[in-house]
Structure formats: C-alpha cells, structure tokens
C-alpha cells in the first residue's frame, strides 16, 4: 500500500473539503512543503461559505502556543492586525463564588470571520484554487483516484482531505460513500452552543471586563454545562453550551445573577443568536487510502478546554506534512493519528472530568470547590488548566485524585450533600 500510486508527484490533485482553519492550513502546508520538494501540486479547496458575511459559530480565541504554530509549523507570519485583545487571565464564577485565575501571555481574541478569511486567502496566494461550491458526493471505489462530485462540476482527486467540521450534510455524504472502504463515522456525541454579541463602549469594556475571559458554572440552569463572556475590541461575545439547549437557555443565562451583575447598565435588546456545536467524542475512520480527516471532523476537540482553532491548524498541517513526506495510503497515514495520540489518550479523562462537573453542578458542590481552590494551589492550577486549555485532563484528574485532594474533596462533598438532604427534610416538615 506504499507504492508510487500513493505518493504525491508533479500534477497530483488534492481536494480539500472545507475552507476553515483546518482545510486552509492543510492547503498552506501542502503547497509550501511541495514547493520545497519541487512538486507542482493542484490543491482545490471547496468551501460553500463566503467569509465576507458567513459566520463561523466560534468564540474566536487563539490559544497559547498559537505563535509557535504559525512560526514553526505553518511558517507564515502571525496576523498581528487580527488581534482584538490579548487575554491575560480568567475569572471563574459559580452563583456565589468568584475565583481569579492568572493566565500567561500568548492567548488572543480575534474576529473568527476575519481569521478564516485570512487563512483561506493565504492558501490562495500560495496557489490553492478556492471553489465556492459544495461537494455533493464521493466515490472511493476507483483504485487510482477519488471521484468528487460538486454543485459546479466533477474532479478526479488523488487524495481527499475532510475539513468540513461538523457539517451534517457532508458527514452523511462521506459516511455513505466510505461505508465499504474507509468507514468514516462522524462524532456521535456533541455539545450544542449558542453565541451572541453585545457592543459596548470601549471604556466600560476595559474597566468592567478587562482582558479576561469570564467563565461561568451555571447553577440552577439545568440544560447548561458552562457559559462565558469574552471581551473583543468593541464588543463582548457571550456563549453557552449544553446537550440540548435553545434560545430560552441563552435568555435564562443572561438573567443568571452573576452574568446580570456584569451586564448592569449595558443596554441591549433583540440580540442575534447563532447556534453551533462541537464534538465530545472522537470520530471513526479518520484515515484510509486516499483520505484523511482534520479539525473538528476528527472529534478530537476536548470538552470545556476547546482549543478548536489550534487543533484545526495543527491537524491540517500534520496531515499535509505526512502526505508530502510519506504518501497517502492508509499505512502511511497511520503516522497521523499517532502524532495526536495524546488527544485520544486524554479522552477518557475528559469524559470523567465532565461527569464530575455535571455532578458538582447538580449538587451545588461547585461552590465548595471554588472556595477550596482559593487556598489550594494544586486545585487552583487544575481549574486554570481547564478554562485555559493548558495541560491535559489526565493531569487535572491526577491533581484532583491525589490522596490529599481526594480526602478533602470527598469530605466536603459528603458534608454538602448532608446539608442539602437536611435542608430538604426541614422543608417538608
């Protein structure tokens, strides 16, 4: 399976389905590395959205170490002009507690639509053909190419890169087309998100929200698992996430006491809501002969920690690098998931942590966790790693389940549970 028919040569055609950060980074890396090897590769990026006015439902945070990704992996200048604010810290809120978490430099808020436009334009300048249409079907049965059907024509590709995020339409097309070959299966578990934007006077924005991301653990809002307020240049982005959320949940979040306290005297009405989702379970069949999935289509984004843009850039670039150096047979592409085994290995721990968060919200124990973290550096570090995306869930769980932390948390959890039971008992008497 590693023969010449699975190698990129002069005139080879790569079709990338999706022009977001994952697809654009794959195109950029293919063209830059191909040029180094003297290869003239045809790169087609199919993207149905026009990033002049089509929004990506994402908060738009470029997390540390984003500069290293641009400098060392993509080898293109970091877009300084797209920075709307440097994020210098995080505040974590429950109903009655607030915990300040200091951050490190190197995390930035940007406008996602402008970032996507920049990435796709960079790929185009390097020679990628940007096709503003959608892929409608694929055929993997042909041994020497993949047949790609689109709304605007037909392409024979040597290899296809799936960078379509969580687009159900495209995922269903790929699942059907690869059923008897690659066996791609989209992430079966997702969290839904709703995002809205509020424009604010710049002085109020700086004085009240500073350069911090304000993260909320919403007690009493049963559908929500978390929410956040992120300051940008002249506005804030508010986002919430949960399993089955609606606009009513966003309405409730805006009325949630800690959020309402931050929004006092800020006028807004008839807000536009944008709905999206992100995966909390890996996809299957992400590689095969003449195929590789990148970005959200892999399902490798971790709950709460996110870093979706970083993972998109890194996976797109790594897949391209392997295709240039080793080829695009399934055997060669085994190097790709191996390069990100740390993400897959962390999935079990992320699932465990998410269960603990949901339990702490339902029992109200999260209040005690934030209170304990004020005087517990290890627990505070764990919470920082969760909201900032630094470190792994394995390390977070290891910190939490250390003998000292486990005894302390267990004692306080049982005490909190006893108080709640006693309170319910007194209320019924």
């Amino acid at each position: 399976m590693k023969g010449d028919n699975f190698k990129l040569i002069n005139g080879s055609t790569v079709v990338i389905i999706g022009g977001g950060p994952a697809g654009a980074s794959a195109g950029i890396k293919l063209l830059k590395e191909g040029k180094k090897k003297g290869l003239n590769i045809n790169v087609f990026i199919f993207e149905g959205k026009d990033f002049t006015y089509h929004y990506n439902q994402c908060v738009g945070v470029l997390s540390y170490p984003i500069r290293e990704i641009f400098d060392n992996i993509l080898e293109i200048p970091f877009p300084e002009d797209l920075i709307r604010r440097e994020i210098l810290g995080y505040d974590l809120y429950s109903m009655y507690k607030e915990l300040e978490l200091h951050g490190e430099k190197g995390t930035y808020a940007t406008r996602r639509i402008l970032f996507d436009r920049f990435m796709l334009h960079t790929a185009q300048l390097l020679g990628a053909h940007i096709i503003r249409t959608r892929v409608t079907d694929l055929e993997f049965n042909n041994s020497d190419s993949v047949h790609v059907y689109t709304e605007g024509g037909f392409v024979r590709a040597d290899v296809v890169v799936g960078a379509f995020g969580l687009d159900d339409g495209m995922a269903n097309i790929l699942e059907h087309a690869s059923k008897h070959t690659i066996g791609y299966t989209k992430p079966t578990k997702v969290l839904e998100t709703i995002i809205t934007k509020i424009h604010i006077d710049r002085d109020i924005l700086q004085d009240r929200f500073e350069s911090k991301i304000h993260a909320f653990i919403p007690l009493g809002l049963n559908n929500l698992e978390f929410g956040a307020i992120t300051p940008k240049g002249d506005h804030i982005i508010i986002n919430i996430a949960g399993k089955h959320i609606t606009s009513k949940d966003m309405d409730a979040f805006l009325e949630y006491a800690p959020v309402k306290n931050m929004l006092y005297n800020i006028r807004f009405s008839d807000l536009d809501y944008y709905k999206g989702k992100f995966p909390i379970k890996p996809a299957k069949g992400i590689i095969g002969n003449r195929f590789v999935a990148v970005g959200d289509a892999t399902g490798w984004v971790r709950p709460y920690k996110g870093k979706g843009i970083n993972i998109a850039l890194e996976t797109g670039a790594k897949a391209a690098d392997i295709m240039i150096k080793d080829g695009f047979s399934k055997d060669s592409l085994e190097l790709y998931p191996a390069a990100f085994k740390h993400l897959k290995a962390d999935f079990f721990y992320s699932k465990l942590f998410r269960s603990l968060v949901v339990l702490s919200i339902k029992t109200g124990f999260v209040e005690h966790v934030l209170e304990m973290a004020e005087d517990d550096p290890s627990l505070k570090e764990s919470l920082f790693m969760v909201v900032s995306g630094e470190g792994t869930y394995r390390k977070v769980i290891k910190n939490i389940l250390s003998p000292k932390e486990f005894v302390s948390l267990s004692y306080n959890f049982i005490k909190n549970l006893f108080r709640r039971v006693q309170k319910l008992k007194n209320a019924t008497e």
Side-chain angles (χ1 to χ4, degrees), residues 285-306:
I286 61 166
I287 61 169
N289 291 330
R290 304 185 184 281
F291 173 77
V292 59
V294 297
D296 280 2
T298 64
W300 290 345
V301 179
R302 294 165 291 180
Y304 306 129
K305 291 166 74 74

Side-chain angles (χ1 to χ4, degrees), residues 77-92:
F78 182 73
E80 304 283 354
D81 58 320
L82 297 187
I83 295 175
R84 292 296 176 263
R85 186 174 297 268
E86 184 172 11
I87 302 301
L88 301 177
Y90 306 82
D91 279 355
L92 183 59

Side-chain angles (χ1 to χ4, degrees), residues 350-365:
S350 69
K351 186 177 180 181
L352 176 58
F353 183 82
R354 181 167 166 259
S355 298
L356 291 174
V357 170
V358 172
L359 179 62
S360 70
I361 291 174
K362 289 182 177 180
T363 60
F365 183 57

Side-chain angles (χ1 to χ4, degrees), residues 97-364:
K97 298 292 181 181
E98 176 184 347
L99 182 66
E100 186 175 0
L101 302 168
H102 296 286
E104 296 181 3
K105 292 184 177 181
T107 294
Y108 309 99
T110 185
R111 280 198 68 195
R112 179 61 191 271
I113 189 173
L114 297 180
F115 182 78
D116 287 0
R117 193 189 308 171
F118 162 79
M119 290 297 298
L120 197 56
H121 183 61
T122 300
Q124 188 175 30
L125 289 176
L126 289 168
H129 305 280
I130 313 302
I131 314 299
R132 300 290 184 181
T133 190
R134 293 176 60 87
V135 171
T136 57
D137 205 356
L138 298 163
E139 288 181 6
F140 288 95
N141 298 323
N142 196 302
S143 60
D144 62 357
S145 64
V146 183
H147 290 179
V148 182
Y149 298 87
T150 80
E151 293 174 333
F154 171 82
V155 179
R156 288 181 178 86
D158 293 286
V159 57
V160 169
V161 179
F164 47 80
L166 294 181
D167 183 282
D168 284 326
M170 191 60 237
N172 291 337
I173 288 171
L174 181 56
E175 285 186 3
H176 176 75
S178 70
K179 184 177 182 180
H180 301 295
T181 51
I182 298 162
Y184 176 81
T185 303
K186 65 185 176 184
T188 54
K189 292 186 178 180
V190 299
L191 283 185
E192 295 178 334
T193 63
I194 294 178
I195 293 175
T196 192
K197 176 170 66 174
I198 300 176
H199 285 274
I200 297 175
D201 179 88
R202 288 179 182 270
D203 291 335
I204 295 177
L205 188 65
Q206 181 58 39
D207 291 344
R208 192 176 305 178
F209 298 94
E210 303 177 88
S211 293
K212 297 180 180 179
I213 292 178
H214 304 268
F216 300 84
I217 303 173
L219 297 176
L221 304 180
N222 295 331
N223 290 335
L224 300 188
E225 293 192 21
F226 71 88
I229 298 177
T230 302
K232 297 287 186 80
D234 61 355
H235 64 275
I236 57 173
I237 293 291
I238 302 177
N239 69 297
I240 59 173
K243 264 195 168 183
H244 304 290
I245 59 174
T246 68
S247 57
K248 290 183 178 180
D249 294 302
M250 177 59 89
D251 294 339
F253 183 70
L254 293 174
E255 291 296 320
Y256 181 58
V259 176
K260 196 170 184 178
N261 289 340
M262 292 201 73
L263 299 179
Y264 73 92
N265 290 338
I266 295 175
R267 294 184 179 182
F268 59 89
S269 61
D270 299 326
L271 296 175
D272 292 326
Y273 291 170
Y274 303 93
K275 196 166 188 178
K277 56 187 175 181
F278 63 87
I280 54 174
K281 185 177 181 180
K284 296 179 181 179
I286 61 166
I287 61 169
N289 291 330
R290 304 185 184 281
F291 173 77
V292 59
V294 297
D296 280 2
T298 64
W300 290 345
V301 179
R302 294 165 291 180
Y304 306 129
K305 291 166 74 74
K307 283 207 165 187
I309 296 176
N310 288 37
I311 292 174
L313 298 176
E314 291 183 86
T315 55
K318 174 56 72 172
D321 192 53
I322 291 170
M323 285 190 288
I324 288 285
K325 294 176 180 177
D326 301 283
F328 47 84
S329 70
K330 183 177 181 180
D331 288 344
S332 297
L333 288 169
E334 290 288 355
L335 295 169
Y336 170 66
F340 296 96
K341 62 183 179 180
H342 59 286
L343 293 179
K344 194 170 183 180
D346 209 33
F347 173 70
F348 168 78
Y349 298 97
S350 69
K351 186 177 180 181
L352 176 58
F353 183 82
R354 181 167 166 259
S355 298
L356 291 174
V357 170
V358 172
L359 179 62
S360 70
I361 291 174
K362 289 182 177 180
T363 60

